[in-house]
Coordinates of all heavy atoms in Angstrom, one line a residue:
M1 N -28.2 38.5 1.5 CA -27.0 37.6 1.6 C -27.4 36.3 2.1 O -28.0 36.2 3.2 CB -25.9 38.3 2.5 CG -24.6 37.6 2.3 SD -23.3 38.7 3.0 CE -22.5 37.6 4.1
N2 N -27.0 35.2 1.5 CA -27.3 33.9 1.8 C -26.1 33.1 2.2 O -25.2 32.9 1.3 CB -28.1 33.2 0.7 CG -28.7 31.9 1.1 OD1 -28.7 31.5 2.3 ND2 -29.2 31.1 0.1
I3 N -26.0 32.7 3.4 CA -24.8 31.9 3.9 C -25.2 30.5 4.1 O -26.1 30.2 4.9 CB -24.2 32.5 5.1 CG1 -23.7 34.0 4.8 CG2 -23.0 31.7 5.6 CD1 -23.2 34.7 6.0
N4 N -24.6 29.6 3.4 CA -24.9 28.2 3.6 C -23.8 27.4 4.3 O -22.6 27.4 3.8 CB -25.1 27.5 2.2 CG -26.4 26.8 2.1 OD1 -27.1 26.5 3.1 ND2 -26.8 26.6 0.8
V5 N -24.1 26.9 5.5 CA -23.0 26.1 6.2 C -23.5 24.7 6.3 O -24.5 24.4 6.8 CB -22.9 26.7 7.7 CG1 -21.8 25.9 8.4 CG2 -22.5 28.2 7.6
T6 N -22.6 23.8 5.7 CA -22.9 22.4 5.6 C -21.9 21.7 6.5 O -20.7 21.8 6.3 CB -22.9 21.9 4.2 OG1 -23.4 22.8 3.3 CG2 -23.6 20.6 4.1
A7 N -22.4 20.9 7.4 CA -21.5 20.1 8.3 C -21.1 18.9 7.6 O -21.8 18.3 6.8 CB -22.3 19.7 9.6
K8 N -19.8 18.5 7.8 CA -19.3 17.3 7.1 C -19.7 16.1 7.9 O -19.5 16.0 9.1 CB -17.8 17.4 7.1 CG -17.2 16.1 6.4 CD -15.6 16.3 6.2 CE -14.9 15.1 5.9 NZ -15.7 14.1 5.1
T9 N -20.4 15.2 7.3 CA -20.9 14.0 8.0 C -20.2 12.8 7.5 O -20.0 12.6 6.3 CB -22.4 13.8 7.9 OG1 -22.7 13.8 6.5 CG2 -23.2 15.0 8.6
V10 N -19.8 11.9 8.4 CA -19.2 10.6 8.0 C -20.1 9.5 8.4 O -20.4 9.3 9.6 CB -17.8 10.5 8.6 CG1 -17.2 9.1 8.2 CG2 -16.9 11.6 8.2
N11 N -20.7 8.8 7.5 CA -21.6 7.7 7.9 C -20.9 6.4 7.8 O -19.7 6.3 7.3 CB -22.9 7.7 7.1 CG -22.6 7.6 5.6 OD1 -21.8 6.8 5.2 ND2 -23.4 8.3 4.8
L12 N -21.5 5.3 8.2 CA -20.9 4.0 8.2 C -20.4 3.6 6.9 O -19.4 3.0 6.7 CB -21.9 3.0 8.9 CG -21.3 1.7 9.3 CD1 -20.2 1.9 10.4 CD2 -22.4 0.8 9.8
T13 N -21.2 3.8 5.8 CA -20.9 3.4 4.5 C -19.6 4.0 4.0 O -18.7 3.4 3.5 CB -22.0 3.7 3.5 OG1 -23.2 3.2 4.1 CG2 -21.8 3.1 2.2
D14 N -19.4 5.3 4.3 CA -18.2 6.0 3.9 C -17.0 5.4 4.6 O -15.9 5.3 4.0 CB -18.3 7.5 4.2 CG -19.2 8.2 3.2 OD1 -19.5 7.7 2.2 OD2 -19.6 9.4 3.5
T15 N -17.1 5.2 5.9 CA -16.0 4.6 6.7 C -15.6 3.3 6.1 O -14.4 3.0 6.0 CB -16.4 4.5 8.2 OG1 -17.0 5.7 8.6 CG2 -15.2 4.1 9.0
R16 N -16.6 2.4 5.8 CA -16.3 1.1 5.3 C -15.6 1.2 3.9 O -14.7 0.5 3.6 CB -17.5 0.3 5.2 CG -18.0 -0.3 6.5 CD -19.2 -1.2 6.4 NE -19.6 -1.8 7.6 CZ -20.8 -2.2 7.8 NH1 -21.7 -2.2 6.9 NH2 -21.2 -2.7 9.0
T17 N -16.1 2.1 3.1 CA -15.6 2.3 1.8 C -14.1 2.7 1.8 O -13.3 2.2 1.1 CB -16.4 3.3 1.0 OG1 -17.8 2.8 1.0 CG2 -15.9 3.4 -0.5
S18 N -13.8 3.7 2.7 CA -12.5 4.2 2.8 C -11.5 3.2 3.4 O -10.4 3.1 3.0 CB -12.4 5.5 3.6 OG -12.9 5.3 4.9
A19 N -12.0 2.4 4.3 CA -11.2 1.3 4.9 C -10.9 0.3 3.8 O -9.7 -0.2 3.7 CB -11.9 0.7 6.1
L20 N -11.9 -0.1 3.0 CA -11.7 -1.1 2.0 C -10.7 -0.5 0.9 O -9.8 -1.2 0.5 CB -13.0 -1.4 1.3 CG -12.9 -2.5 0.2 CD1 -12.5 -3.8 0.9 CD2 -14.3 -2.7 -0.4
A21 N -10.9 0.8 0.6 CA -10.0 1.4 -0.3 C -8.5 1.4 0.2 O -7.6 1.2 -0.6 CB -10.4 2.9 -0.6
S22 N -8.4 1.7 1.5 CA -7.0 1.7 2.1 C -6.4 0.3 2.0 O -5.2 0.2 1.6 CB -7.1 2.0 3.6 OG -7.7 3.3 3.7
I23 N -7.2 -0.7 2.2 CA -6.7 -2.1 2.1 C -6.3 -2.4 0.7 O -5.2 -3.0 0.5 CB -7.8 -3.1 2.6 CG1 -8.0 -2.9 4.1 CG2 -7.4 -4.5 2.3 CD1 -9.2 -3.7 4.7
I24 N -7.1 -2.1 -0.3 CA -6.8 -2.4 -1.7 C -5.5 -1.6 -2.1 O -4.7 -2.2 -2.7 CB -8.0 -2.0 -2.5 CG1 -9.2 -3.0 -2.3 CG2 -7.6 -2.0 -4.0 CD1 -10.5 -2.6 -2.9
V25 N -5.5 -0.3 -1.8 CA -4.3 0.5 -2.2 C -3.0 -0.1 -1.5 O -2.0 -0.3 -2.2 CB -4.5 1.9 -1.7 CG1 -3.2 2.7 -1.9 CG2 -5.5 2.6 -2.6
T26 N -3.1 -0.5 -0.2 CA -1.9 -1.0 0.5 C -1.5 -2.3 -0.1 O -0.3 -2.6 -0.4 CB -2.2 -1.2 2.0 OG1 -2.7 0.1 2.5 CG2 -1.0 -1.6 2.7
A27 N -2.5 -3.2 -0.4 CA -2.2 -4.5 -0.9 C -1.6 -4.4 -2.3 O -0.6 -5.1 -2.7 CB -3.4 -5.4 -1.0
T28 N -2.1 -3.5 -3.1 CA -1.6 -3.3 -4.5 C -0.2 -2.8 -4.5 O 0.7 -3.2 -5.2 CB -2.5 -2.3 -5.3 OG1 -3.9 -2.8 -5.2 CG2 -2.1 -2.2 -6.7
L29 N 0.0 -1.8 -3.6 CA 1.4 -1.2 -3.4 C 2.4 -2.3 -3.0 O 3.5 -2.4 -3.5 CB 1.4 -0.1 -2.4 CG 1.1 1.3 -3.0 CD1 1.1 2.3 -1.9 CD2 2.2 1.7 -4.0
G30 N 2.0 -3.1 -2.0 CA 2.8 -4.2 -1.5 C 3.2 -5.2 -2.6 O 4.3 -5.6 -2.8
A31 N 2.1 -5.6 -3.3 CA 2.3 -6.6 -4.4 C 3.2 -6.0 -5.5 O 4.1 -6.7 -6.0 CB 1.0 -7.0 -5.0
A32 N 3.0 -4.7 -5.8 CA 3.8 -4.1 -6.9 C 5.3 -4.0 -6.4 O 6.1 -4.3 -7.2 CB 3.3 -2.7 -7.1
L33 N 5.5 -3.6 -5.2 CA 6.9 -3.6 -4.7 C 7.5 -5.0 -4.8 O 8.7 -5.1 -5.2 CB 6.9 -3.1 -3.2 CG 6.9 -1.6 -3.1 CD1 6.7 -1.2 -1.6 CD2 8.1 -1.0 -3.6
L34 N 6.7 -6.0 -4.3 CA 7.3 -7.3 -4.3 C 7.6 -7.8 -5.7 O 8.7 -8.4 -5.9 CB 6.2 -8.2 -3.7 CG 6.6 -9.6 -3.1 CD1 7.5 -9.4 -1.9 CD2 5.4 -10.4 -2.8
F35 N 6.7 -7.6 -6.6 CA 7.0 -8.2 -8.0 C 8.0 -7.3 -8.7 O 8.8 -7.9 -9.5 CB 5.6 -8.2 -8.8 CG 4.8 -9.4 -8.3 CD1 3.7 -9.2 -7.5 CD2 5.2 -10.7 -8.7 CE1 2.9 -10.3 -7.1 CE2 4.4 -11.8 -8.3 CZ 3.3 -11.6 -7.5
M36 N 8.0 -6.0 -8.5 CA 9.0 -5.1 -9.1 C 10.4 -5.5 -8.7 O 11.3 -5.6 -9.5 CB 8.7 -3.7 -8.8 CG 7.6 -3.1 -9.7 SD 7.6 -1.3 -9.6 CE 7.3 -0.9 -7.9
A37 N 10.5 -5.8 -7.4 CA 11.8 -6.2 -6.8 C 12.2 -7.6 -7.3 O 13.3 -7.9 -7.6 CB 11.8 -6.1 -5.3
G38 N 11.2 -8.5 -7.3 CA 11.4 -9.9 -7.6 C 11.8 -10.1 -9.1 O 12.7 -10.9 -9.4
F39 N 11.2 -9.3 -10.0 CA 11.5 -9.5 -11.4 C 12.3 -8.3 -12.0 O 12.4 -8.1 -13.2 CB 10.1 -9.6 -12.2 CG 9.4 -10.8 -11.8 CD1 8.2 -10.7 -11.1 CD2 9.8 -12.0 -12.2 CE1 7.4 -11.8 -10.8 CE2 9.1 -13.2 -11.8 CZ 7.9 -13.1 -11.1
A40 N 13.0 -7.6 -11.1 CA 13.8 -6.5 -11.5 C 15.0 -7.0 -12.4 O 15.6 -8.0 -12.1 CB 14.3 -5.7 -10.3
Q41 N 15.2 -6.3 -13.5 CA 16.3 -6.7 -14.3 C 17.7 -6.2 -13.7 O 18.7 -6.9 -13.9 CB 16.2 -6.0 -15.7 CG 15.0 -6.5 -16.5 CD 15.1 -8.0 -16.9 OE1 16.2 -8.4 -17.3 NE2 14.1 -8.7 -16.6
S42 N 17.6 -5.1 -13.0 CA 18.8 -4.6 -12.4 C 19.2 -5.5 -11.2 O 18.4 -5.7 -10.3 CB 18.6 -3.2 -11.9 OG 19.5 -2.8 -11.0
A43 N 20.4 -6.0 -11.2 CA 20.9 -6.8 -10.1 C 21.0 -6.0 -8.8 O 20.7 -6.5 -7.7 CB 22.2 -7.5 -10.5
T44 N 21.4 -4.8 -9.0 CA 21.5 -3.9 -7.8 C 20.2 -3.7 -7.1 O 20.1 -3.8 -5.9 CB 22.0 -2.5 -8.2 OG1 23.2 -2.7 -9.0 CG2 22.4 -1.7 -7.0
L45 N 19.1 -3.5 -7.9 CA 17.8 -3.3 -7.3 C 17.3 -4.5 -6.6 O 16.8 -4.5 -5.5 CB 16.8 -2.9 -8.4 CG 15.4 -2.5 -8.0 CD1 15.4 -1.3 -7.0 CD2 14.5 -2.2 -9.2
H46 N 17.6 -5.7 -7.3 CA 17.2 -7.0 -6.7 C 18.0 -7.2 -5.4 O 17.4 -7.6 -4.4 CB 17.5 -8.1 -7.7 CG 17.1 -9.4 -7.2 ND1 15.8 -10.0 -7.4 CD2 17.7 -10.3 -6.5 CE1 15.8 -11.1 -6.8 NE2 16.9 -11.4 -6.3
D47 N 19.3 -7.0 -5.4 CA 20.1 -7.2 -4.2 C 19.6 -6.3 -3.1 O 19.6 -6.7 -1.9 CB 21.6 -7.0 -4.5 CG 22.1 -8.1 -5.4 OD1 21.4 -9.1 -5.6 OD2 23.2 -7.9 -6.0
T48 N 19.3 -5.1 -3.4 CA 18.8 -4.1 -2.4 C 17.6 -4.6 -1.7 O 17.4 -4.6 -0.5 CB 18.6 -2.7 -3.0 OG1 19.8 -2.3 -3.6 CG2 18.2 -1.7 -1.9
A49 N 16.6 -5.1 -2.5 CA 15.4 -5.6 -2.0 C 15.7 -6.8 -1.2 O 15.1 -7.0 -0.1 CB 14.4 -5.9 -3.1
H50 N 16.6 -7.7 -1.6 CA 16.9 -8.9 -0.9 C 17.6 -8.6 0.4 O 17.2 -9.2 1.4 CB 17.9 -9.7 -1.8 CG 18.3 -11.0 -1.2 ND1 19.5 -11.6 -1.4 CD2 17.6 -11.9 -0.5 CE1 19.5 -12.8 -0.8 NE2 18.4 -13.0 -0.2
D51 N 18.5 -7.6 0.4 CA 19.1 -7.2 1.7 C 18.1 -6.6 2.7 O 18.2 -6.8 3.9 CB 20.3 -6.2 1.4 CG 21.4 -6.9 0.7 OD1 21.5 -8.1 0.7 OD2 22.3 -6.2 0.2
S52 N 17.2 -5.9 2.1 CA 16.1 -5.2 3.0 C 15.3 -6.3 3.6 O 14.9 -6.2 4.8 CB 15.2 -4.3 2.1 OG 16.0 -3.3 1.5
R53 N 15.0 -7.4 2.8 CA 14.2 -8.5 3.4 C 14.9 -9.1 4.6 O 14.3 -9.4 5.6 CB 14.0 -9.5 2.3 CG 12.7 -9.3 1.5 CD 12.2 -10.6 0.9 NE 13.2 -11.3 0.1 CZ 13.4 -11.1 -1.2 NH1 12.6 -10.2 -1.8 NH2 14.3 -11.7 -1.9
H54 N 16.2 -9.3 4.4 CA 17.0 -9.9 5.5 C 17.1 -8.9 6.7 O 17.0 -9.4 7.9 CB 18.4 -10.3 5.1 CG 18.4 -11.5 4.3 ND1 18.5 -12.8 4.9 CD2 18.3 -11.8 3.0 CE1 18.5 -13.7 4.0 NE2 18.4 -13.1 2.8
A55 N 17.2 -7.6 6.4 CA 17.3 -6.6 7.5 C 16.1 -6.6 8.4 O 16.2 -6.4 9.6 CB 17.6 -5.3 6.9
I56 N 14.9 -6.8 7.8 CA 13.7 -6.7 8.6 C 13.3 -8.1 9.1 O 12.2 -8.3 9.7 CB 12.5 -6.1 7.8 CG1 12.1 -6.9 6.6 CG2 12.8 -4.6 7.4 CD1 10.9 -6.4 5.9
G57 N 14.1 -9.1 8.8 CA 13.8 -10.4 9.3 C 12.7 -11.2 8.6 O 12.2 -12.1 9.1
F58 N 12.5 -10.8 7.4 CA 11.4 -11.4 6.6 C 12.0 -12.8 6.1 O 13.1 -12.8 5.6 CB 11.1 -10.5 5.4 CG 9.8 -11.0 4.7 CD1 8.6 -10.7 5.2 CD2 9.9 -11.7 3.5 CE1 7.4 -11.1 4.5 CE2 8.8 -12.1 2.8 CZ 7.5 -11.8 3.4
P59 N 11.3 -13.9 6.2 CA 11.8 -15.2 5.7 C 12.1 -15.1 4.2 O 11.3 -14.7 3.4 CB 10.6 -16.1 6.0 CG 9.6 -15.4 6.8 CD 9.9 -13.9 6.7
C60 N 13.2 -15.6 3.9 CA 13.7 -15.5 2.5 C 14.2 -16.8 1.9 O 13.5 -17.4 1.1 CB 14.8 -14.4 2.4 SG 15.4 -14.1 0.8
H61 N 15.2 -17.3 2.5 CA 15.8 -18.6 2.0 C 16.5 -19.3 3.1 O 16.7 -18.7 4.2 CB 16.7 -18.4 0.8 CG 17.8 -17.4 1.0 ND1 19.0 -17.7 1.5 CD2 17.8 -16.1 0.7 CE1 19.7 -16.7 1.6 NE2 19.0 -15.6 1.1
Ligands
ZN1 ZN1 17.8 -14.0 1.2

């Protein structure tokens, strides 16, 4: 019987790659939300996003 136990190792390259991936995913999601809300055809969706911006104190107009 052969039992192989492999320890999970995290090296610096993996950490940097995952951090960069997190930044890219977050930025993409943020931009997608911003543009989807900004160019939304539905007035309700647009107004909701607009009200949310004011609710969190984000500069709007
Ligand atoms: Zn506004």
Side-chain angles (χ1 to χ4, degrees):
M1 192 164 129
N2 188 12
I3 300 174
N4 234 341
V5 178
T6 319
K8 181 174 169 28
T9 55
V10 178
N11 61 38
L12 194 61
T13 309
D14 284 345
T15 309
R16 279 183 183 162
T17 305
S18 60
L20 185 64
S22 304
I23 291 169
I24 291 171
V25 168
T26 307
T28 306
L29 271 176
L33 277 173
L34 197 68
F35 284 105
M36 279 194 301
F39 295 111
Q41 293 297 313
S42 162
T44 308
L45 186 59
H46 181 91
D47 289 347
T48 304
H50 185 211
D51 291 346
S52 303
R53 273 204 300 272
H54 281 273
I56 63 172
F58 192 80
C60 182
H61 54 87

